[in-house]
Amino acid sequence: MRRKNMAVLVVFGVLLGCFEVAWALDPIDQAQLLLEMGNVDQAIALLRSFVESEKDEERLGVAVEILDSLLSEKGETGEAIAVLQGYIARFPETPRSHLFRYWIAKHEEERGNFEKAFAILEELRDHLPQDDPFALRFQVLSDLAYHLEHRKKDYLRALEVYRELVDLSGDPEERLQAEMALGSCYEKAGKIEEALEIYKAVAEKAPGSFFERWARLRMVYLTEPKVGTKSKEELAHALAKALRGRDLAALRELVKRGDFWSGVNFSEFDVDDPEKALEYMAQYLPKSSQLVVSEDLKPRDDTWVLRVEGWGDPEYNILYLVLAEGRYGWEWKGLILSSTALEACEENAQGQDILR
């Protein structure tokens, strides 16, 4: 009996020692320990209390970064923004304050407040110091250019930012990406000769690369035009008719010239010649005996997709044809391979996000 009591006392002493060690920890370390134990709400409460009283900039910054991440994961974007703003109010000119302004801009984008995000990015562009330890300038300019090109359709201002990006890029791949974006923006601004000059330069600078292939395909698109349709509905109907009739010749007439994008759900998309897509269609369209084509187009980013079920590929029984408005009208410009299993995973992931 005495041995049993002694064992209980030893275990109690060990546990008491653990608690004493835990509470002796720095609050940030305590929060990390709580997170490891799965006590997210307690960690958030502890860090909230800590950031209200902490005076040291570095420790405060670390705690705010953790809080922002935790609140964002819980979907409490407004609270995350408030925490970041609290740090900025106390330390407005530190490198981390600029980083946090950028994070606020991204949070505002997530909430659909694009004008507010754009205003923050513009201010950041004008006030970022030469000493930029978080390498924010390139990302800020990239985001500004995206807003100007895709949301505001202000191509002339976007061109200015893209030129700045090209000059700023130190990494060769980053520079090529910026040059391709510059060429695309020239196209949208109606400056086709300038776009072709950019694409030719990229192709010559990057032989054998993805960027060379993409640039040359853009040159084909601009110099060998193929007229699209007047509306996405008209194009969807023509594609659906060709699919139902297993009419590969009709599909060939409808495919966009130049660069054609393809990929699998949850993967990076690649650019290639449309002939590759037509070869794929020729392989599996005859095997698609249970084909069901829905002409009810669905938006996907800045494009629309035509859903095809009963596709004959044994790995991918669902196919999406990507439609977008281009220089010559509405064009069939890409393929997305999918499957019942992949889409079940996607629905499950979305459900988990909702539950959180």
Side-chain angles (χ1 to χ4, degrees):
M1 187 68 178
R2 185 176 297 171
R3 287 181 182 175
K4 184 176 180 181
N5 289 341
M6 184 65 71
V8 170
L9 286 171
V10 169
V11 171
F12 180 75
V14 170
L15 289 173
L16 184 60
C18 289
F19 282 119
E20 287 175 352
V21 169
W23 289 116
L25 290 173
D26 176 281
I28 294 174
D29 293 331
Q30 286 184 41
Q32 294 286 11
L33 186 61
L34 287 167
L35 290 173
E36 289 171 13
M37 296 165 62
N39 298 326
V40 177
D41 289 337
Q42 289 181 42
I44 289 174
L46 176 63
L47 288 170
R48 277 187 181 282
S49 176
F50 176 72
V51 300
E52 287 173 5
S53 58
E54 180 57 36
K55 294 185 172 68
D56 179 75
E57 183 275 326
E58 178 63 26
R59 283 159 51 78
L60 176 64
V62 171
V64 167
E65 287 182 23
I66 299 170
L67 254 183
D68 172 75
S69 175
L70 296 174
L71 292 168
S72 298
E73 286 179 10
K74 292 189 68 174
E76 297 177 12
T77 308
E79 292 296 313
I81 289 174
V83 169
L84 295 170
Q85 287 173 332
Y87 170 94
I88 293 167
R90 293 168 64 184
F91 298 98
E93 298 302 327
T94 62
R96 198 179 253 119
S97 71
H98 298 301
L99 175 66
F100 289 171
R101 287 184 181 95
Y102 179 70
W103 288 3
I104 291 171
K106 302 310 287 183
H107 283 320
E108 294 294 4
E109 284 181 7
E110 291 166 14
R111 301 203 295 183
N113 297 330
F114 299 119
E115 286 299 324
K116 191 175 288 188
F118 182 77
I120 295 169
L121 291 168
E122 275 202 311
E123 186 178 357
L124 265 176
R125 177 195 185 185
D126 295 337
H127 292 94
L128 274 176
Q130 290 300 316
D131 177 23
D132 182 16
F134 292 105
L136 281 175
R137 188 173 299 280
F138 188 87
Q139 195 57 57
V140 167
L141 290 174
S142 297
D143 289 359
L144 269 176
Y146 184 89
H147 276 272
L148 287 164
E149 180 184 359
H150 297 283
R151 294 200 171 99
K152 293 181 175 291
K153 313 295 184 186
D154 189 341
Y155 303 125
L156 295 181
R157 286 179 67 197
L159 282 169
E160 292 177 11
V161 182
Y162 279 128
R163 290 190 199 102
E164 195 175 340
L165 267 174
V166 170
D167 292 339
L168 180 66
S169 304
D171 178 76
E173 189 164 313
E174 267 186 1
R175 184 182 177 89
L176 290 167
Q177 186 76 47
E179 288 178 334
M180 289 300 297
L182 178 62
S184 174
C185 204
Y186 270 126
E187 286 186 50
K188 292 175 182 176
K191 298 177 179 291
I192 304 306
E193 290 305 316
E194 290 89 338
L196 286 168
E197 285 178 16
I198 292 287
Y199 296 144
K200 183 180 178 183
V202 168
E204 290 173 352
K205 277 191 285 188
S209 71
F210 162 82
F211 291 102
E212 183 203 10
R213 186 168 71 251
W214 186 11
R216 293 198 183 283
L217 288 168
R218 287 311 294 171
M219 292 164 71
V220 168
Y221 177 76
L222 292 175
T223 56
E224 301 177 24
K226 187 171 191 174
V227 177
T229 60
K230 293 181 179 178
S231 71
K232 59 182 180 294
E233 291 79 13
E234 180 184 347
L235 178 56
H237 179 71
L239 286 167
K241 182 179 177 182
L243 287 165
R244 292 179 187 125
R246 302 338 189 247
D247 190 343
L248 289 165
L251 286 172
R252 182 176 295 278
E253 286 301 312
L254 292 167
V255 74
K256 167 196 164 187
R257 289 192 62 78
D259 48 339
F260 190 91
W261 294 84
S262 61
V264 179
N265 266 346
F266 307 117
S267 75
E268 292 292 324
F269 282 62
D270 199 9
V271 59
D272 225 320
D273 190 294
E275 283 300 320
K276 295 280 185 69
L278 292 168
E279 288 171 12
Y280 175 77
M281 301 291 281
Q283 181 179 0
Y284 290 110
L285 185 57
K287 300 176 183 178
S288 304
S289 57
Q290 305 297 319
L291 206 64
V292 177
V293 185
S294 170
E295 293 183 40
D296 182 20
L297 292 169
K298 301 294 183 187
R300 183 187 176 100
D301 299 325
D302 57 350
T303 64
W304 294 79
V305 292
L306 180 76
R307 181 183 170 95
V308 181
E309 296 182 31
W311 185 241
D313 186 335
E315 288 189 60
Y316 304 106
N317 65 321
I318 298 173
L319 187 69
Y320 292 97
L321 277 59
V322 182
L323 283 57
E325 193 169 17
R327 179 169 176 77
Y328 309 112
W330 280 89
E331 302 166 336
W332 168 33
K333 61 167 283 184
L335 288 178
I336 301 172
L337 308 181
S338 187
S339 69
T340 307
L342 275 172
E343 300 201 351
C345 288
E346 186 175 25
E347 287 176 10
N348 183 56
Q350 288 173 350
Q352 291 297 320
D353 287 341
I354 291 168
L355 287 174
R356 289 194 196 102

